[in-house]
DNA sequence: CGACTGCCGACTGTCGACAGTTTTATAAAC
DNA sequence: GTTTATAAAACTGTCGACAGTCGGCAGTCG
């Protein structure tokens, strides 16, 4: 046993360049430092970040698989531009996944799951009162990730995670979502109630309503369909 | 660039090395030339294929995002090993996606879609009569891809495609699926009937049955849960 | 006989460079 | 002034190399 249990390996920063570059790019895209459709120069990026092109390329491929970038052969990588139709598709897929998840969850709703979700709603409500919009979004997503997790199918969660990157993009693209702390709270409480009731129909109704609201906010902020992202 | 001598290098034609390497690896994994859990040496691969390590690494990252490989930092890439639980999860997610798709499709079932699906079933039946198991699987998947496509949400199709890689892995892992050309035919005809009826409930029932049958065949071929793939 | 230490080979992470291609800038012709 | 042809610049795809790290093995000590 080389390492004692006291000092976890996380103490050593072993994050490789690829992940760091990927994180940087993700943040930059979400914060719109790179505009949708813009081309990213590998050379420029490697100069800016002080690394060689290899990790930049690998990071770009990673973001491509996450739907944030698109690669065109011999042309380079471009920031994904989503149009209205694609927004709809993202939310439709999200609906698909969460419907399935909440029904699965209703079948196996444990005390542990209930506690975790209730606690997360509290955290979310607290976040909604503050000014940090980013944190509110993250806590919101985290609630849904928890729901997917306790549904018992890790692949479902993985698929959702693949979508969250684009969801953040959707949310980031519209100027200001809205803000109504109590709306957020009640919307999530309804989900908890439906789960507690154990009725699949109620769960489905609750999640349909919940996502429908979110969708409306986002779609409202999007213009007409433009250049397709892919 | 030394493109010399012998056998395996013939796999590579110089146009897009990354994709070619990815295709080669995919085939090799599905055909079990690399066993589940086995580690892949970047150096060895680049020697065998006659390319440098850069495209091998990028291809490996691609396959990682498709769930065929797993990367462990400083250790390299390993062939994904799926256990019984993960098989279940894959099929559960597939069910989720296809239920949603077939209901969406039922709402907007065009003549064009109907023709395309009917034609594909014919192709599939023809393939089922032959000896080429691989082709039968591909035609089967293609039918489902068409269904997802005509459902009108390209992201749904994309999610499914992300799953097909693992599905092929599932199917490849079990020795011989079965074989019953008429079973395959009728199973798909039922889907067409349900779609033609326009009843969402019938569609759901049909797809549940359809995927349930496929799942049973696969799960039967899988042993107890072993080493988790992730 | 078992456990620890230091060395060795193998391999990954990263880098800089070259070649071919695409894009842009420039010049000539209409 | 516009269009076509040509040259230069910029960039991607790919390669080979180097350094740091990991796992295993032999030697040493208890």
């Amino acid at each position: 046993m080389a390492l004692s249990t006291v000092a976890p390996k996380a103490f050593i920063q072993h994050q490789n360049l690829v992940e760091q570059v990927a994180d940087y790019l993700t943040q930059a895209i979400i914060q719109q430092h790179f505009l949708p459709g813009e081309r990213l120069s590998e050379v420029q990026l490697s100069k800016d970040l002080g690394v060689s092109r290899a990790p930049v390329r690998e990071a770009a491929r990673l973001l491509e698989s996450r739907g944030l970038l698109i690669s065109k052969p011999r042309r380079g990588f471009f920031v994904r531009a989503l149009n209205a139709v694609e927004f709809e598709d993202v939310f439709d897929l999200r609906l698909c996944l969460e419907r399935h998840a909440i029904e699965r969850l209703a079948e196996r709703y444990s005390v542990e799951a209930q506690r975790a979700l209730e606690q997360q709603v509290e955290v979310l409500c607290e976040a909604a009162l503050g000014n940090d919009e980013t944190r509110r979004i993250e806590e919101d997503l985290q609630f849904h990730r928890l729901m997917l997790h306790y549904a018992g199918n890790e692949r479902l969660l993985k698929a959702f995670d693949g979508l969250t990157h684009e969801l953040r993009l959707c949310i980031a693209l519209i100027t200001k979502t809205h803000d109504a702390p109590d709306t957020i709270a009640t919307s999530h409480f309804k989900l908890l109630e439906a789960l507690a009731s154990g009725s699949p129909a109620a769960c489905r109704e609750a999640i349909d309503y919940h996502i429908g609201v979110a969708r409306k906010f986002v779609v409202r902020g999007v213009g007409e369909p433009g250049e397709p992202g892919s």
Side-chain angles (χ1 to χ4, degrees), chain A residues 3-9 11:
Chain A
L3 275 178
S4 82
T5 51
V6 182
K9 59 183 176 183
F11 189 77

Side-chain angles (χ1 to χ4, degrees), chain A residues 141-162:
Chain A
L141 287 178
Q142 181 59 21
F143 173 84
H144 291 273
R145 295 189 74 252
L146 279 174
M147 226 172 57
L148 281 269
H149 168 71
Y150 284 110
N153 182 342
E154 283 303 311
R155 197 155 316 267
L156 211 57
L157 176 57
K158 207 168 148 191
F160 182 77
D161 277 338

Side-chain angles (χ1 to χ4, degrees), chain A residues 8-141:
Chain A
K9 59 183 176 183
F11 189 77
I12 304 293
Q13 279 287 349
H14 235 315
Q15 204 180 20
N16 49 12
L17 286 188
V18 175
E19 298 205 8
Q20 291 184 53
V21 174
D23 287 347
Y24 167 79
L25 285 178
T26 302
Q27 282 304 311
I29 291 171
I30 289 180
Q31 291 170 16
Q32 308 228 43
H33 295 160
F34 300 122
L35 299 174
E38 185 177 345
R39 178 162 134 268
L40 300 184
S41 161
E42 296 176 4
V43 175
Q44 192 59 46
L45 279 173
S46 40
K47 278 181 187 170
D48 291 348
L49 298 175
V51 301
S52 80
R53 279 174 50 218
V56 171
R57 284 176 62 87
E58 294 193 21
R61 288 216 172 263
L62 192 61
L63 292 225
E64 185 189 10
S65 76
R66 291 180 183 170
L68 294 183
L69 294 180
I70 295 177
S71 89
K72 300 183 182 178
R74 299 262 170 209
R75 298 286 315 282
F77 290 92
F78 297 77
V79 178
R80 177 77 174 281
L82 293 171
N83 62 33
V85 172
E86 292 176 303
F87 277 94
E88 288 288 349
D89 286 357
V90 167
F91 274 88
D92 185 52
L93 178 52
R94 185 185 166 189
L95 185 65
C96 163
L97 295 175
E98 296 213 43
R99 267 183 186 168
H100 193 76
I102 202 170
E103 286 175 6
R104 279 271 184 279
L105 179 54
E107 297 168 5
R108 61 207 307 284
Y109 200 41
S110 65
V111 177
E112 182 195 352
Q114 184 169 7
R115 281 192 52 120
L117 288 176
E118 285 173 355
Q119 191 176 331
Q120 181 61 28
V121 169
E122 279 182 36
V123 173
L124 171 56
C125 289
E126 186 192 328
L129 293 173
N131 285 327
D132 191 346
E133 182 77 0
T134 304
R135 190 183 155 221
R136 192 189 63 68
I137 294 169
E138 290 307 315
E139 298 295 354
D140 199 335
L141 287 178

